[in-house]
Amino acid sequence: MKSNQVTIVDIANELKMSKSTVSRALTGHPNVKPETRAKVTELAEKLDYQRNMLSISLITNKTKTIGIVLPDFFTSFFPQVVVGAQEEAARQGYSVIVSQCNESYETEVANSKVMLANRVDGVMVSLTKETLNYDHWKAFIRKKIPVVFFNRVCEEMMVPKVVVNDYDAAFQAVKHLISIGKRRIAHLAGPAQLVISRKRMNGYRDALIKNNIPIDEDLIIEFDLNLTKVKMYVKHLLGMTNPPDAIFAVNDPTAIEAIQIIKQSGKRIPEDIAVVGFSDNYGSNFIEPSLTTIAQPVKEIGKTAMELLLGLMDKDISEWKPLIKTLDTELVVRNSTVKQVLEQ
Amino acid sequence: MKSNQVTIVDIANELKMSKSTVSRALTGHPNVKPETRAKVTELAEKLDYQRNMLSISLITNKTKTIGIVLPDFFTSFFPQVVVGAQEEAARQGYSVIVSQCNESYETEVANSKVMLANRVDGVMVSLTKETLNYDHWKAFIRKKIPVVFFNRVCEEMMVPKVVVNDYDAAFQAVKHLISIGKRRIAHLAGPAQLVISRKRMNGYRDALIKNNIPIDEDLIIEFDLNLTKVKMYVKHLLGMTNPPDAIFAVNDPTAIEAIQIIKQSGKRIPEDIAVVGFSDNYGSNFIEPSLTTIAQPVKEIGKTAMELLLGLMDKDISEWKPLIKTLDTELVVRNSTVKQVLEQ
DNA sequence: CTGTTAGCGCATTCAA
DNA sequence: TTGAATGCGCTAACAG
C-alpha cells in the first residue's frame, strides 16, 4: 500500500529539481538560493508536507522519543508527573510515550520491551511495587539508552534519580503529630522493597526516638498497598487494648481509606485519632475531615526527571553522572490533625 | 554515532550467512532449515538482538503506534480511559503515545502535529473544551489516518465515535431527583460547544418537562468548567429568593465543589438541597456526603474506542463506517440525594 | 532452502 | 548553488 503522505520526491518532481535540493531547502541548509527555497517551502506548505521522522530516525539512530513507564494511573500523582515531563519534553522537541503497569512486574518488563522496540532515546521510570529484579532496565544501560528513575527508584543502579525528601517529610509529619499531643502513633507502611517505604519508615522511627517515644512494633503494619486490606488493619488497630492515637499512612489513598473506617467506628478525628497521609493527592482536601498530608511538587518531579534525562542525550555514557535530585515537600496541615478555622 | 544495538548484519557476519536468511529465520518464515533457524535465534537471543521497528515502519508505512489526545489529566477519567485503550492496543500489538492538552485548543493543534510527525497509524481523540475548529483532525482523514472520537466528540466529522448515553443518563439523574421530591432543580451546565454538555442539558430539560415541572432558566448556569467559578454560582443559587432544592452538575468535580460550598453555607444535603454529579470520578464516593452520580464504564470506553480504531486499520478509507458506539451508564445513588444505611 | 538485489524517505557525502 | 550517489536496517521479489 503506497504512502498517502507527500514526500520530498513529490515536491522535487513537481518543481523539476533534485531531491537533495528540496531536502536542503526544507532543512534550512545555508547553500540554497533564496528563490529556490521560497518555491520549495511554498509548495511544501500547500501540499501539507510532513517530514517523515522515521527515515531520519533510521539515519540518525535517534527517535526524539522518550518512554515513561509508570506503576499505575490510579491516583492523580503519576498522571500529573506525566504532564510536567511532557511539557519539558515538548519544549526540547521530544515526544513522549507513556505506559502504565498496573503495579505488575511482568507488565513492567513487557512495557520495557515496548520501549526498546520503539527505539526510545531514553526512559523515565517509576517501579511497580512488585519489582525486585532490574535486569530489564540494566539492559537499557548496556544498550546506552539512558534511564532516569523517579519516585519509586532502583537503588542498586547508578543512574540519575529524582526523589523527594521522604525521610525528612515523614519525620516532620510524625513530629507534627507529636506536637499536637499524640504519643501512640501507628504507621501503615508500604512494602519494604520500595525505597520510599523504607525512608518514610525511618523518618517515622527517628521522629519517635528523637522525642523519646518508645517504638511499639505492634503499631507498625507493613503491607503491599492493596487498599482492600486497610479496613482490616485499621479495625485491628482500633481494637487494641491500648489503641493508637494517630496514624501515619505511607500514602494518601491509604490514609483516606483509614479515615473512612475510623469514622464508621464512631471514633473522632483528630481528637481520638489523628491521621496523616503522604502526597496530597486529588481528594485529600475534600474528604471529611480533610487530610493532613505531605504535598509533593508533582509536576516538578516530572519536569526535573525529564531535564535530567534529556541532559544525558548528547553525552557519552562515560559522562553520565548518577545525579540524585531531591525535591522538597511541604507539610499541609488540615482537619485530620488540627481543626482549621473555617474561612469564608 | 554508530548504533549500539545489534543488527541483522552483525548476526549474519558472525554466522557467515546472508542477511536475508537471518531475517527469514527471525521472522518465522517457513523456508528456513530448522537447524539454521536454531543457530540464528540462539545467537540473537545471546546478543539481545531487537528488531528495529523503524526500518520496518519505513518499509510498511505503518508504525504500529496509536496516538491518544486528551483534554486533560486532571481527574481520574482520562487516565483510566488510557488504561483501557492501552490494554487493547497491546493485545493487538500496538503501542500508544499519549498527550494531554491542558484544555487548550492551541495545545491540541500542536499535539496533533506531534502525532503526525510520529506517523501514528491512527488517533483516538477527546476534544478540549475550547475546540471549535476541527481542521487539524480533518487533515488526518485527508492523509487517510483514521480518527476515532470518544467522550468529547466532533459532531460534524463522519468518523467513529464512542460516547455514553448522556441524554438518558441526565434524564435518569433528574428523574431520580424528582422521585425524592425535588422540584426546583438547578443545572450547572458545561459549555454548549461540547456535545456532552448539550446532551446532558437536554436530558435535564426533558426530564423536567416530562414531569410537568416548569423550566426556570434562572436555575440553569452554563459555564466553561473552570472550577474556581463554581463557588460564585452556587452562592448565587443559594441566595435566590426562591432557591433550588437540588443541583444537577455536568460533572463530578463541579458537584464536589458545589457540595463544599453548600456545606459551608450551613444548608443540609440532601434535605435542603440535593446534589448529583456525572462520571463517578475518584473521590466521589468518599466526599461527605458521598456523591450520587452517573458511573461511566471508563476502561471500556478506552477499550471500545481502540477496538473501533484498530478495526479500521487494514481497511480502505471507503469502508470506514462512522459507527457510533453508545455505552451504558449507571446511576449510583449515594448520600447526596438519599441517605444510605451504613453498612458494616 | 539460501543468496542477491532493490528500495522504503531522507540527509549527506562527493562532484560538478 | 545544484545534482548524483550512498546508506541507515530491514523485508520482499527474484534467482539460484
Side-chain angles (χ1 to χ4, degrees):
Chain A
M1 206 186 293
K2 188 74 179 53
S3 165
N4 305 297
Q5 309 247 17
V6 180
T7 72
I8 281 191
V9 178
D10 299 326
I11 297 180
N13 288 344
E14 184 85 15
L15 258 32
K16 299 188 198 318
M17 53 175 76
S18 74
K19 310 170 228 171
S20 34
T21 303
V22 175
S23 172
R24 277 189 282 256
L26 255 20
T27 49
H29 195 96
N31 290 350
V32 180
K33 210 201 296 181
E35 192 187 315
T36 312
R37 167 162 298 145
K39 269 198 291 190
V40 171
T41 48
E42 190 199 356
L43 185 61
E45 183 79 17
K46 189 180 140 210
L47 263 37
D48 197 10
Y49 166 77
Q50 205 96 26
R51 260 161 89 182
N52 191 336
M53 296 306 291
L54 255 36
S55 44
I56 298 176
S57 295
L58 194 58
I59 294 170
T60 61
N61 202 38
K62 301 237 168 299
T63 53
K64 291 278 182 178
T65 302
I66 297 296
I68 302 184
V69 180
L70 307 168
D72 79 73
F73 246 4
F74 178 65
T75 62
S76 55
F77 182 81
F78 290 112
Q80 287 303 309
V81 171
V82 171
V83 173
Q86 197 158 260
E87 275 174 10
E88 181 59 26
R91 219 179 53 72
Q92 301 199 34
Y94 282 77
S95 326
V96 149
I97 117 175
V98 185
S99 65
Q100 64 85 35
C101 306
N102 280 321
E103 292 282 14
S104 149
Y105 164 71
E106 285 194 20
T107 308
E108 183 181 301
V109 174
N111 284 342
S112 76
K113 299 252 187 273
V114 170
M115 296 301 167
L116 236 31
N118 280 75
R119 288 303 208 261
V120 293
D121 289 343
V123 276
M124 234 178 86
V125 181
S126 195
L127 300 167
T128 78
K129 66 186 184 190
E130 293 179 358
T131 307
L132 287 170
N133 180 302
Y134 313 104
D135 289 347
H136 51 303
W137 298 124
K138 288 175 186 164
F140 279 68
I141 304 297
R142 274 200 302 278
K143 293 174 195 280
K144 309 196 186 183
I145 301 172
V147 178
V148 169
F149 287 102
F150 67 97
N151 182 258
R152 311 252 199 104
V153 305
C154 167
E155 274 200 314
E156 68 182 72
M157 286 176 66
M158 297 295 280
V159 299
K161 293 160 196 172
V162 177
V163 295
V164 297
N165 55 351
D166 288 284
Y167 172 87
D168 288 338
F171 190 101
Q172 291 306 323
V174 175
K175 192 176 128 190
H176 167 67
L177 286 170
I178 297 169
S179 77
I180 60 170
K182 303 300 185 182
R183 287 296 175 275
R184 285 189 56 74
I185 301 170
H187 182 30
L188 290 173
Q193 64 256 40
L194 293 181
V195 182
I196 50 173
S197 303
R198 298 203 298 276
K199 288 194 176 165
R200 292 174 194 178
M201 170 76 85
N202 290 340
Y204 160 83
R205 286 178 183 273
D206 287 358
L208 292 180
I209 293 170
K210 267 271 174 52
N211 287 276
N212 302 313
I213 298 176
I215 290 173
D216 182 347
E217 297 292 342
D218 290 345
L219 293 181
I220 299 175
I221 300 178
E222 186 188 310
F223 77 120
D224 60 6
L225 301 180
N226 183 338
L227 288 182
T228 59
K229 296 179 181 167
V230 175
K231 186 170 193 164
M232 183 177 72
Y233 299 142
V234 174
K235 283 192 171 181
H236 164 75
L237 289 172
L238 296 178
M240 290 173 73
T241 48
N242 190 3
D245 53 16
I247 294 179
F248 170 48
V250 68
N251 61 21
D252 275 12
T254 303
I256 286 172
E257 198 69 18
I259 285 180
Q260 294 176 86
I261 314 300
I262 295 169
K263 286 202 296 191
Q264 282 176 26
S265 81
K267 293 229 187 188
R268 293 167 306 163
I269 305 174
E271 295 83 352
D272 299 327
I273 184 162
V275 180
V276 175
F278 206 111
S279 285
D280 197 19
N281 286 346
Y282 178 79
S284 302
N285 60 332
F286 62 72
I287 187 172
E288 192 147 321
S290 56
L291 180 64
T292 293
T293 184
I294 304 287
Q296 301 199 47
V298 201
K299 277 181 68 177
E300 203 187 329
I301 292 173
K303 178 178 155 68
T304 307
M306 186 58 76
E307 281 171 348
L308 245 41
L309 188 55
L310 296 184
L312 302 177
M313 225 76 300
D314 297 317
K315 295 208 174 62
D316 187 80
I317 193 165
S318 60
E319 303 176 69
W320 294 2
K321 299 257 184 305
L323 198 60
I324 298 187
K325 284 250 188 188
T326 304
L327 303 183
D328 284 334
T329 53
E330 191 188 353
L331 177 69
V332 180
V333 177
R334 298 206 185 95
N335 295 335
S336 68
T337 57
V338 179
K339 281 194 183 161
Q340 311 291 304
V341 180
L342 262 191
E343 40 180 334
Q344 211 50 1
Chain B
M1 206 186 294
K2 188 74 180 56
S3 165
N4 306 299
Q5 308 247 17
V6 180
T7 72
I8 281 191
V9 178
D10 299 327
I11 297 179
N13 287 344
E14 183 86 13
L15 257 35
K16 298 187 200 313
M17 54 174 77
S18 75
K19 310 170 227 174
S20 36
T21 303
V22 175
S23 171
R24 276 190 283 258
L26 254 20
T27 50
H29 195 97
N31 290 350
V32 180
K33 208 202 294 181
E35 192 187 315
T36 312
R37 166 162 298 146
K39 267 198 290 189
V40 171
T41 49
E42 190 199 356
L43 185 60
E45 184 80 18
K46 187 179 143 212
L47 263 36
D48 197 10
Y49 167 76
Q50 206 95 26
R51 261 160 90 184
N52 191 336
M53 295 306 291
L54 255 34
S55 45
I56 298 176
S57 295
L58 194 59
I59 294 171
T60 60
N61 203 37
K62 302 233 168 302
T63 53
K64 290 280 185 176
T65 302
I66 297 297
I68 302 185
V69 179
L70 306 169
D72 78 74
F73 247 4
F74 180 65
T75 63
S76 55
F77 182 82
F78 290 112
Q80 286 303 309
V81 171
V82 171
V83 173
Q86 195 158 263
E87 275 175 9
E88 180 60 25
R91 219 180 51 74
Q92 300 199 34
Y94 281 78
S95 326
V96 151
I97 118 175
V98 184
S99 64
Q100 64 85 34
C101 307
N102 280 321
E103 291 281 15
S104 148
Y105 163 72
E106 284 194 23
T107 309
E108 183 182 301
V109 174
N111 284 343
S112 76
K113 300 253 187 272
V114 171
M115 297 301 168
L116 235 33
N118 280 76
R119 289 298 207 265
V120 293
D121 290 344
V123 275
M124 233 177 87
V125 180
S126 195
L127 301 167
T128 78
K129 66 186 182 188
E130 294 180 357
T131 308
L132 287 168
N133 179 302
Y134 313 105
D135 289 347
H136 51 303
W137 299 124
K138 288 175 185 164
F140 279 69
I141 305 297
R142 275 200 302 279
K143 293 173 194 282
K144 308 197 186 182
I145 301 171
V147 177
V148 169
F149 287 103
F150 66 97
N151 181 259
R152 311 253 199 103
V153 305
C154 167
E155 272 200 315
E156 68 182 72
M157 287 178 65
M158 297 295 280
V159 299
K161 292 159 197 172
V162 177
V163 295
V164 298
N165 55 352
D166 288 286
Y167 172 88
D168 288 339
F171 190 101
Q172 292 306 320
V174 175
K175 193 176 129 189
H176 167 67
L177 286 170
I178 296 170
S179 78
I180 60 170
K182 303 299 183 182
R183 286 296 175 275
R184 285 188 58 72
I185 301 170
H187 181 32
L188 290 173
Q193 63 257 41
L194 293 181
V195 182
I196 50 173
S197 303
R198 299 203 296 275
K199 287 193 176 165
R200 291 173 195 178
M201 170 75 85
N202 290 340
Y204 160 82
R205 287 176 181 273
D206 287 358
L208 292 179
I209 293 171
K210 266 271 173 51
N211 288 275
N212 303 312
I213 298 176
I215 290 174
D216 182 346
E217 297 294 342
D218 290 345
L219 293 181
I220 299 176
I221 300 177
E222 187 188 309
F223 77 121
D224 61 4
L225 302 179
N226 182 338
L227 289 181
T228 59
K229 296 180 181 166
V230 175
K231 185 170 195 167
M232 182 176 71
Y233 298 141
V234 174
K235 282 192 170 181
H236 164 74
L237 289 172
L238 296 179
M240 290 171 75
T241 49
N242 190 4
D245 53 14
I247 294 178
F248 169 49
V250 68
N251 61 22
D252 275 12
T254 303
I256 286 172
E257 199 66 19
I259 285 180
Q260 292 173 271
I261 314 298
I262 295 169
K263 286 201 296 190
Q264 281 176 24
S265 81
K267 294 229 185 187
R268 292 166 307 163
I269 304 174
E271 295 83 349
D272 301 326
I273 186 162
V275 180
V276 176
F278 205 112
S279 285
D280 197 19
N281 286 346
Y282 177 77
S284 301
N285 60 331
F286 63 70
I287 189 173
E288 190 150 319
S290 56
L291 179 63
T292 293
T293 186
I294 305 287
Q296 301 199 48
V298 202
K299 276 181 68 174
E300 203 186 331
I301 292 173
K303 178 179 154 69
T304 307
M306 187 56 77
E307 281 172 348
L308 244 41
L309 188 56
L310 296 183
L312 302 177
M313 226 79 294
D314 297 318
K315 294 209 176 59
D316 188 80
I317 192 165
S318 62
E319 303 175 69
W320 293 2
K321 299 258 184 298
L323 198 60
I324 299 187
K325 284 251 189 187
T326 304
L327 303 182
D328 284 333
T329 54
E330 191 188 354
L331 177 69
V332 181
V333 177
R334 299 207 184 96
N335 295 335
S336 70
T337 58
V338 178
K339 283 196 180 157
Q340 314 288 304
V341 181
L342 261 192
E343 40 180 335
Q344 212 48 0

